[in-house]
């Protein structure tokens, strides 16, 4: 039941990505032709962000049930999973995407800004998206804060992974191994080693060791809390960028690029895994997504 809910959540998210991309691309074309007002573009951006907020809310509930399942989900390809950071993309990726979209023109001004040669009061646009100096200052500040928060979450994840093996599990394993060795006697055969291993991971009655189970449960709960915070950071970074710093048209172009990148990587990686004769793992097959939700 839990796995089905995770897959259903992901299906709705992909459907929303595809539908939202279509609306954003249409809005981008209308803006380029002068047929869309800032108010209309802002409404499209807000709908897109509401869809993201709903996805984060659903994931929050799922993470509290089984946070570990979202760290390397079987409905994603192995390539998709290899680039995940705490169950999703790095929040700073959205900002790096903006830099890439703006092109070389913006990169030149970033160098000026960092070296102190740039005029931060300049109102003229820079790069392909027309980023102003004031916007660049705000984006750079958001980037620094986001990287700091990413590092803090990464450190907490590393500590959680080390602690679960070092403190709760290792003493339990060593205690069970000592008890098993004493029960079987020294110089046990290979068969004796196998028996000893079974004693380490289970009680004599064959039931799950409740102490180990509790330790793993606490670890999964810790993963769930980290994923909630990572999702909030992803959401807040994107929200700040597209609703507080960028103009409606700049926000539309940034969101178009983000959705194109996500869906294209997903498509490419699935084709690549399907082409392997004997893949090591097969992602969960999702039906074609059809939805009007952003």
């Amino acid at each position: 039941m839990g796995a089905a809910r995770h897959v259903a959540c992901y299906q709705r998210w992909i459907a929303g990505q595809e539908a939202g991309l279509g609306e954003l691309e249409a809005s981008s074309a209308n803006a380029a032709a002068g047929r869309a007002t800032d108010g209309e573009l802002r409404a499209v951006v807000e709908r897109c962000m509401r869809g993201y907020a709903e996805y984060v809310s659903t994931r929050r509930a799922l993470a509290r049930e089984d946070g570990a399942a979202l760290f390397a989900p079987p409905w994603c390809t192995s390539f998709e999973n290899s680039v995940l950071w705490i169950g999703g993309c790095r929040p700073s990726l959205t900002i790096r995407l903006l830099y890439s979209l703006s092109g070389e023109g913006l990169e030149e001004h970033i160098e000026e800004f960092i070296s102190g040669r740039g005029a931060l009061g300049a109102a003229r646009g820079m790069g392909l998206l027309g980023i102003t100096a004031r916007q660049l200052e705000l984006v750079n500040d958001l980037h620094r804060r986001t990287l700091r928060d990413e590092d803090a979450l990464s450190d907490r994840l590393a500590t959680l992974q080390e602690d679960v093996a070092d403190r709760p599990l290792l003493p339990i394993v060593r205690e069970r191994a000592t008890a098993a060795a004493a029960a079987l006697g020294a110089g046990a055969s290979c068969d004796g080693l196998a028996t000893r291993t079974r004693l380490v991971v289970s009680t004599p009655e064959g039931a799950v060791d409740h102490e180990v189970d509790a330790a793993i449960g606490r670890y999964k709960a810790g993963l769930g809390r980290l994923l909630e915070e990572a999702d909030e950071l992803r959401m807040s970074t994107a929200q700040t960028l597209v609703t507080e710093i960028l103009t409606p048209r700049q926000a539309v172009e940034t969101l178009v690029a983000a959705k194109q990148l996500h869906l294209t990587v997903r498509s490419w990686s699935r084709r690549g895994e399907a082409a392997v004769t004997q893949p090591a793992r097969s992602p969960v097959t999702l039906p074609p997504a059809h939805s009007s939700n952003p």
Side-chain angles (χ1 to χ4, degrees):
M1 181 64 70
R5 291 183 60 207
H6 281 79
V7 172
C9 172
Y10 184 69
Q11 287 177 338
R12 289 192 298 271
W13 171 238
I14 292 299
Q17 288 285 83
E18 292 173 345
L21 176 58
E23 184 179 22
L24 286 164
E25 287 177 332
S27 297
S28 175
N30 287 336
R35 296 193 300 267
T37 66
D38 277 356
E40 291 169 335
L41 296 176
R42 188 175 295 109
V44 172
V45 171
E46 289 174 352
R47 280 196 294 275
C48 178
M49 296 311 296
R50 279 199 300 272
Y52 191 9
E54 291 169 2
Y55 175 61
V56 168
S57 178
T58 303
R59 272 171 56 102
R60 183 183 302 116
L62 294 173
R64 291 174 181 175
E65 294 176 6
D66 185 3
L70 295 169
F71 273 68
W75 49 87
C76 291
T77 64
S78 57
F79 178 80
E80 288 175 291
N81 283 336
S82 74
V83 297
L84 292 183
W85 174 84
I86 311 185
C89 69
R90 284 185 173 272
S92 57
L93 178 62
T94 306
I95 300 171
R96 294 180 64 86
L97 189 61
L98 173 65
Y99 289 151
S100 296
L101 277 176
S102 297
E104 295 180 358
L106 180 59
E107 291 176 2
E108 294 171 0
H109 287 279
I110 290 175
E111 291 300 323
E112 293 179 3
F113 173 65
I114 293 174
S115 65
R117 299 194 308 273
L120 294 181
R124 63 188 179 87
M126 299 177 288
L128 300 180
L129 289 184
I131 300 294
T132 67
R134 176 56 181 163
Q135 285 179 312
L136 178 57
E137 183 179 13
L138 293 172
V139 169
N140 187 63
D141 184 57
L142 176 63
H143 196 189
R144 282 201 301 263
R145 296 198 312 269
T146 302
L147 289 174
R148 179 199 64 204
D149 292 342
E150 283 182 4
D151 288 345
L153 286 172
S154 293
D155 288 345
R156 285 173 55 195
L157 175 60
T159 299
L160 183 66
Q161 291 171 331
E162 292 166 359
D163 285 352
V164 73
D166 181 34
R167 286 202 286 269
L169 296 185
L170 181 59
I172 297 171
V173 170
R174 289 176 66 86
E175 178 185 342
R176 298 300 186 274
T178 301
L184 291 172
S189 64
C190 291
D191 289 341
L193 178 59
T195 302
R196 203 159 58 239
T197 302
R198 287 195 297 272
L199 287 171
V200 169
V201 299
S202 65
T203 63
E205 293 79 16
V208 175
D209 189 310
H210 294 295
E211 196 174 359
V212 174
D213 199 37
I216 293 175
R218 290 192 296 272
Y219 174 68
K220 287 184 175 181
L223 290 178
R225 288 190 294 272
L226 280 176
L227 189 133
E228 286 185 53
E229 293 185 45
D231 274 355
E232 288 298 332
L233 181 58
R234 281 184 274 266
M235 179 72 197
S236 64
T237 301
Q239 185 82 32
T240 299
L241 184 64
V242 302
T243 66
E244 299 178 21
I245 297 178
L246 301 180
T247 67
R249 185 169 180 182
Q250 290 168 340
V252 165
E253 298 300 332
T254 301
L255 290 171
V256 165
K259 290 183 184 292
Q260 285 176 337
L261 178 63
H262 176 203
L263 293 172
T264 301
V265 167
R266 176 176 178 268
S267 176
W268 283 346
S269 63
R270 285 173 182 272
R271 284 205 307 268
E273 290 202 359
V276 177
T277 306
Q278 293 181 335
R281 64 190 297 275
S282 298
V284 173
T285 301
L286 299 179
H290 299 288
S291 170
S292 58
N293 294 329

